Amino acid sequence: MPRYAITHRTEYRYNQAVSLGPQKLMLRPRESRELQLLSHEITTTPPGTISWAQDVFGNAIATAVFDTPTDTLVIDSTVSLELTSSAWPVFPIAARAINYPFSYSPEERTDLGALLSPQYPDPMGRLSNWAAAFVRSNPTDTLALLKDLNAGITGTASYAVREDEGTQPPSRTLDMGRGSCRDFAVLFVEAARFLGFGARMVSGYLFNPSLQETDSTTHAWAEVFVPGAGWISFDPTNRQMGGFNLIPVAVARDLGQAMPVSGTFLGAGTARLTVAVRVKEV
């Protein structure tokens, strides 16, 4: 059973001492049938008081509170886990959903709620038309459609590291022809929603054997709800379907709800941020 060790360091350096507001930390991987969390520890410099809760999506949220001013904030997360996801998964899709288009049950539609609705305006139909072009026939195979959409993103746009915070609108990714993993995930989710699927964002880590000894970053991908199979992972950056080598930390309607570290500070100082992530097989 593959076992992984993850270290994730977030470091803020301020040009003068500031007072830290509460820091929201989404760093604990989501346990499941395929992911067993063996240990997880968060430490901070300066030391803070950490409390835990769950959000509406069931993500584990740590809140760190600090008492004294500081010119440096370091947040270290260390994880040990076992991952059993298959490289060639078989999805038991319900008979009613094998072909697209299909209808979610009334209960499913109610529970999926806003995960069915696009979050970005598309007044000119740029995104909806792009998504519709992947529908080869009526009816068409549901899983094949989602696979084509997943692969079609890197066929349309090239991957580019982007240091800016947040995501760019999916229409901008299409127009520019490039984007980061989080931009690709947003584009996939929005396109899937335009096609009528319930879809959500995922933030977490990717195990890449060639990068075990180098600093990396967090990763973003998508999940689509298909009756019978449940939530299926799609990683458009790597043209991958299924959870193999993907370690989810948080799921959300919008990726801004799944930031690994977020918080405020009071003071005239400016902050410089560095993030280093390593995922090793042990």
Side-chain angles (χ1 to χ4, degrees):
M1 184 179 299
R3 181 174 291 191
Y4 300 94
I6 303 169
T7 58
H8 182 164
R9 167 168 284 201
T10 304
E11 183 172 342
Y12 294 93
R13 291 196 174 272
Y14 308 93
N15 62 357
Q16 59 181 284
V18 299
S19 296
L20 297 170
Q23 305 294 307
K24 177 183 175 184
L25 314 178
M26 302 181 76
L27 298 166
R28 181 185 175 92
R30 289 173 62 93
E31 296 180 80
S32 68
R33 182 179 59 84
E34 296 179 334
L35 191 158
Q36 181 181 358
L37 187 61
L38 303 178
S39 65
H40 177 229
E41 182 180 14
I42 293 175
T43 58
T44 65
T45 305
T49 301
I50 295 177
S51 59
W52 288 90
Q54 283 187 312
D55 67 8
V56 68
F57 299 103
N59 301 312
I61 309 293
T63 301
V65 178
F66 302 90
D67 295 330
T68 57
T70 182
D71 60 5
T72 303
L73 171 62
V74 179
I75 299 164
D76 284 307
S77 171
T78 56
V79 173
S80 175
L81 57 83
E82 291 178 342
L83 191 65
T84 61
S85 50
S86 170
W88 307 103
V90 176
F91 300 106
I93 297 175
R96 64 184 169 92
I98 288 175
N99 290 320
Y100 173 91
F102 65 87
S103 296
Y104 289 113
S105 71
E107 292 83 1
E108 289 167 342
R109 293 195 67 82
T110 297
D111 293 337
L112 288 169
L115 300 180
L116 288 163
S117 302
Q119 305 295 302
Y120 291 82
D122 186 38
M124 306 301 294
R126 174 80 166 93
L127 178 57
S128 56
N129 290 335
W130 180 81
F134 290 95
V135 182
R136 309 297 184 188
S137 61
N138 188 359
T140 193
D141 181 88
T142 297
L143 202 54
L145 167 59
L146 291 169
K147 286 180 180 179
D148 288 347
L149 177 62
N150 191 50
I153 289 177
T154 51
T156 301
S158 58
Y159 176 78
V161 176
R162 192 166 60 77
E163 300 295 340
D164 321 14
E165 291 187 7
T167 55
Q168 61 192 22
S171 58
R172 181 170 174 80
T173 302
L174 291 176
D175 291 339
M176 294 181 62
R178 65 178 182 273
S180 65
C181 66
R182 60 189 187 274
D183 300 322
F184 287 176
V186 168
L187 175 56
F188 178 91
V189 165
E190 287 292 283
R193 288 169 176 168
F194 271 115
L195 293 174
F197 291 98
R200 64 188 184 184
M201 306 295 306
V202 190
S203 176
Y205 306 104
L206 168 70
F207 171 66
N208 185 334
S210 65
L211 298 178
Q212 292 194 75
E213 301 303 324
T214 12
D215 287 342
S216 183
T217 62
T218 56
H219 190 51
W221 63 97
E223 289 181 346
V224 175
F225 184 81
V226 180
W231 292 103
I232 301 177
S233 297
F234 291 90
D235 180 4
T237 303
N238 298 294
R239 295 195 174 196
Q240 175 182 322
M241 180 182 67
F244 184 66
N245 284 355
L246 294 173
I247 300 166
V249 170
V251 300
R253 171 182 51 81
D254 180 85
L255 197 55
Q257 299 171 305
M259 293 178 62
V261 177
S262 58
T264 60
F265 68 88
L266 294 175
T270 58
R272 181 169 59 87
L273 168 66
T274 58
V275 177
V277 173
R278 288 198 181 186
V279 183
K280 293 184 178 182
E281 187 170 7
V282 294

